[in-house]
Amino acid sequence: MDRLDSFLALISKIYLRISQLLLLCLVLGVLSEVIMRYFFGRGILGSSELTRLTITWIVFLMSFVLFRKRRHIVVTALVDIMAKPLQRLCEKIINVSVIILSVYVLVQIGNVWEFLALKTPVFQIPDTIFKIAPAFCFIPMSVQAMLNLFLPEAKPAQPVKIDEGF
């Protein structure tokens, strides 16, 4: 289990670095698009394709990173007032739900795979490059959910507290 957890930690770090690089490219691309439109009155051909591709991959890669760190968006108002055994039960239900959702998404990707023959008009990026991104999220996410079920004592990292002196 420790090896699997270490492997998922490595995957999470790699995904974070790739996402940071993609975000840098996205910011530079949008900035250059704005400059081109302002100074030359025309944009960069195909920039919307690259923007869509970049955002798609950032979303799915970071979904796993945040799930692993237990930093995904949650509303815990109801769970916070529950007794500890009920809180643990809710966490187990969430992890089982993530596994079921992951299997469902992967099955659906498999079902539509033969229909993914489209390419983007400018750069001819295959549709499969867009549609495979969820697999890179849901496969490690489901493995992490299984680890969470079997190693529930692993506590999520606490939020960083900003010193009020600054």
Side-chain angles (χ1 to χ4, degrees), residues 61-79:
L61 293 177
M62 286 306 296
S63 292
F64 170 67
V65 171
L66 294 173
F67 181 79
R68 174 161 171 77
K69 293 182 179 186
R70 299 181 186 191
R71 295 278 185 234
H72 52 287
I73 297 173
V74 293
V75 178
T76 62
L78 180 62
V79 176

Side-chain angles (χ1 to χ4, degrees), residues 7-23 54 56-69 106 132-144:
F7 178 70
L8 289 174
L10 176 64
I11 295 290
S12 180
K13 286 179 186 176
I14 291 169
Y15 280 13
L16 179 63
R17 295 296 178 237
I18 292 171
S19 296
Q20 289 170 334
L21 179 65
L22 289 173
L23 185 61
T54 306
T56 300
W57 277 92
I58 290 171
V59 165
F60 285 108
L61 293 177
M62 286 306 296
S63 292
F64 170 67
V65 171
L66 294 173
F67 181 79
R68 174 161 171 77
K69 293 182 179 186
L106 293 172
I132 196 70
F136 281 84
C137 166
F138 285 109
I139 291 172
M141 191 180 288
S142 61
V143 174
Q144 182 64 54

Side-chain angles (χ1 to χ4, degrees), residues 9-101:
L10 176 64
I11 295 290
S12 180
K13 286 179 186 176
I14 291 169
Y15 280 13
L16 179 63
R17 295 296 178 237
I18 292 171
S19 296
Q20 289 170 334
L21 179 65
L22 289 173
L23 185 61
L24 177 65
C25 293
L26 180 66
V27 169
L28 292 175
V30 170
L31 177 66
S32 62
E33 179 75 16
V34 168
I35 290 170
M36 290 288 292
R37 286 189 186 275
Y38 183 77
F39 287 110
F40 301 110
R42 52 182 17 186
I44 301 169
L45 185 65
S47 66
S48 64
E49 292 176 9
L50 297 176
T51 300
R52 194 181 84 179
L53 181 66
T54 306
I55 289 173
T56 300
W57 277 92
I58 290 171
V59 165
F60 285 108
L61 293 177
M62 286 306 296
S63 292
F64 170 67
V65 171
L66 294 173
F67 181 79
R68 174 161 171 77
K69 293 182 179 186
R70 299 181 186 191
R71 295 278 185 234
H72 52 287
I73 297 173
V74 293
V75 178
T76 62
L78 180 62
V79 176
D80 287 345
I81 61 173
M82 293 179 180
K84 291 291 181 194
L86 285 175
Q87 288 179 353
R88 285 191 293 275
L89 177 64
C90 286
E91 187 173 329
K92 287 182 185 208
I93 291 170
I94 289 168
N95 284 309
V96 169
S97 300
V98 165
I99 294 167
I100 292 169
L101 175 67

